[in-house]
């Protein structure tokens, strides 16, 4: 595992090589997670942008399998946490134990000290436990008994939650929702894709055969290459105008924050990199906007009762805000 001090952000990777790495990881995942090309694309965009992803969908749509396949596609450390109502913050970050033989306390690191962390059914844990992830997700560190412990620069959280079952769940607070760079809903498979899944799992689970196709250093260099993708001043203002429009929408109580503007910029750069381009085009921003902005919006009561969705609000904004020529 690469520590924060060991990672070198400078990259000599050319854009063609970056696109090859993306294709290799994407194809590896899609060989297991069938019929979800767009979901895989956006998941990897957040991964290489040093963001975090919230997967929200009904049970059985491949959320956990998607996270596990990504972890197996990169030769790196992976941990899974099953969130339950009795889970404690110390179960996530770790705990200090007294060692009688030495007469000193020793900090035993929790599962958060990894590179890829799957937080399964995150909304089943109490708000206190959920908050234990906030510092880790935002600052790449945890604080235990006044001492700070750094996480790796590759630290990536994939959290899942079920939107239809409310019994025994605790809705994520707005501050934590804002920590997720994007929200994705894989959805059900089409007929052909579901038939392929049945064929894949006829004798064994295909996850058992997944092998790494990229290294930690590949991911580090991809992240550095992503930040070198050019974006014009007009497109930067376009990003700002889209995010600002969420704050003035009549259907929105609280719009997207500046963090959303940064996330939209980064995801757009990643989509350009995946396409082998050295620059962002308006289509990259438009493609990313619904997944970056939607989960950050708090709708008015009237909008919710009228059946207005957050996706519909974002799509309306995309239609009304003038796109640079």
């Amino acid at each position: 595992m690469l520590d924060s001090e060991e990672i070198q952000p400078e990259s000599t990777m050319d854009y063609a090589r970056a696109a090859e790495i993306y294709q290799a990881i994407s194809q590896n995942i899609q060989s297991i997670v069938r019929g979800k090309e767009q979901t895989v694309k956006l998941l990897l965009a957040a991964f290489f942008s040093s963001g975090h992803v919230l997967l929200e969908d009904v049970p059985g749509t491949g959320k956990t399998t998607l996270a596990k396949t990504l972890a197996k596609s990169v030769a790196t450390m992976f941990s899974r946490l099953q969130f339950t109502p009795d889970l404690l913050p110390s179960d996530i970050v770790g705990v200090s134990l007294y060692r009688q033989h030495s007469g000193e306390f020793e900090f035993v690191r929790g599962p958060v000290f990894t590179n890829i962390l799957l937080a399964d059914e995150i909304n089943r844990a109490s708000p206190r436990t959920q908050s234990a992830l906030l510092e880790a997700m935002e600052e790449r560190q945890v604080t235990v008994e006044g001492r700070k412990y750094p996480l790796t620069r590759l630290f990536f959280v994939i959290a899942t939650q079920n939107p239809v079952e409310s019994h025994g769940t605790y809705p994520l607070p707005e501050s934590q929702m804002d920590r997720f760079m994007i929200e994705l809903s894989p959805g059900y498979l089409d007929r052909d894709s579901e038939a392929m899944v049945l064929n894949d799992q006829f004798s064994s689970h295909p996850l058992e055969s997944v092998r790494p196709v990229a290294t930690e250093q590949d991911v580090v260099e991809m992240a550095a290459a992503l930040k070198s993708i050019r974006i014009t001043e007009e497109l930067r203002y376009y990003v700002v105008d889209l995010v600002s429009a969420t704050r003035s929408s009549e259907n929105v109580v609280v719009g997207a924050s500046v963090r959303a503007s940064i996330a939209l910029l980064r995801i757009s750069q990643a989509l350009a990199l995946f396409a082998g381009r050295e620059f962002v085009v308006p289509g990259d921003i438009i493609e990313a906007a619904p997944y970056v902005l939607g989960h950050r919006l708090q709708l008015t009561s009237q909008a919710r009762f009228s059946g207005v969705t957050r996706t519909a609000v974002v799509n309306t904004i995309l239609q009304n805000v003038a796109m640079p020529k």
Side-chain angles (χ1 to χ4, degrees):
M1 179 173 66
L2 293 176
D3 292 328
S4 299
E5 296 80 5
E6 295 174 333
I7 289 180
Q8 303 299 322
E10 296 81 7
S11 174
T12 57
M13 181 180 294
D14 60 65
Y15 299 117
R17 172 60 180 155
E20 288 178 5
I21 292 176
Y22 159 69
Q23 288 293 340
I25 299 176
S26 177
Q27 290 172 9
N28 215 38
I29 296 175
Q30 290 184 67
S31 67
I32 307 299
V33 182
R34 301 289 188 175
K36 301 298 176 187
E37 181 178 356
Q38 182 71 359
T39 298
V40 172
K41 180 181 182 182
L42 290 162
L43 175 74
L44 292 178
F47 180 49
F48 293 124
S49 300
S50 303
H52 307 289
V53 175
L54 178 63
L55 297 177
E56 182 179 82
D57 216 325
V58 296
T61 52
K63 301 185 297 294
T64 302
T65 300
L66 177 61
K68 286 184 173 180
T69 309
L70 170 62
K72 284 198 165 189
S73 297
V74 181
T76 190
M77 289 188 64
F78 170 72
S79 296
R80 176 185 177 181
L81 264 175
Q82 183 65 49
F83 278 62
T84 56
D86 60 346
L87 193 72
L88 298 175
S90 58
D91 295 326
I92 299 176
V93 300
V95 63
S96 292
L97 297 178
Y98 181 72
R99 301 300 188 188
Q100 190 172 4
H101 67 278
S102 63
E104 298 179 348
F105 283 91
E106 177 185 349
F107 178 63
V108 179
R109 299 188 174 200
V112 75
F113 288 90
T114 187
N115 284 337
I116 299 177
L117 175 66
L118 171 59
D120 224 351
E121 297 187 286
I122 189 173
N123 57 333
R124 290 200 173 278
S126 67
R128 178 188 176 196
T129 302
Q130 292 176 13
S131 67
L133 275 180
L134 287 178
E135 181 183 16
M137 291 171 66
E138 184 67 17
E139 301 180 32
R140 299 296 199 277
Q141 68 176 26
V142 297
T143 303
V144 179
E145 298 178 354
R147 182 175 178 181
K148 298 183 185 299
Y149 296 89
L151 303 176
T152 68
R153 290 276 297 277
L154 291 184
F155 181 65
F156 178 59
V157 174
I158 307 176
T160 72
Q161 66 175 2
N162 179 357
V164 297
E165 185 179 344
S166 59
H167 182 69
T169 63
Y170 303 85
L172 297 181
E174 288 74 17
S175 60
Q176 187 158 332
M177 291 291 284
D178 200 31
R179 258 64 172 191
F180 290 101
M181 182 171 278
I182 59 175
E183 180 189 57
L184 300 172
S185 298
Y188 288 117
L189 297 175
D190 58 40
R191 185 168 181 263
D192 291 337
S193 296
E194 189 163 352
M196 291 176 68
V197 170
L198 297 182
N199 182 67
D200 291 342
Q201 300 195 24
F202 190 76
S203 58
S204 63
H205 200 293
L207 261 176
E208 299 173 3
S209 62
V210 175
R211 295 293 181 266
V213 294
T215 65
E216 290 183 2
Q217 191 60 36
D218 288 332
V219 177
V220 172
E221 293 185 7
M222 284 282 288
L226 181 150
K227 292 181 180 179
S228 69
I229 298 295
R230 300 191 303 273
I231 180 168
T232 64
E233 183 177 12
E234 290 81 7
L235 288 180
R236 287 198 298 271
Y237 273 103
Y238 182 51
V239 168
V240 171
D241 290 342
L242 289 175
V243 176
S244 297
T246 67
R247 304 164 192 160
S248 57
S249 171
E250 62 180 4
N251 293 313
V252 176
V253 178
V254 179
S257 67
V258 176
R259 188 182 282 115
S261 299
I262 298 172
L264 184 53
L265 172 65
R266 293 299 184 208
I267 294 294
S268 300
Q269 288 177 302
L271 295 180
L273 183 67
F274 294 167
R277 282 185 274 105
E278 303 178 14
F279 53 88
V280 173
V281 298
D284 298 324
I285 300 171
I286 294 171
E287 181 180 356
Y291 306 96
V292 172
L293 302 180
H295 66 286
R296 292 179 159 91
L297 307 183
Q298 297 181 49
L299 301 184
T300 64
S301 299
Q302 183 177 357
R304 293 199 305 271
F305 292 145
S306 300
V308 176
T309 64
R310 295 173 297 178
T311 300
V313 171
V314 176
N315 288 335
T316 299
I317 289 172
L318 288 171
Q319 292 173 5
N320 295 336
V321 175
M323 183 178 66
K325 297 180 179 180

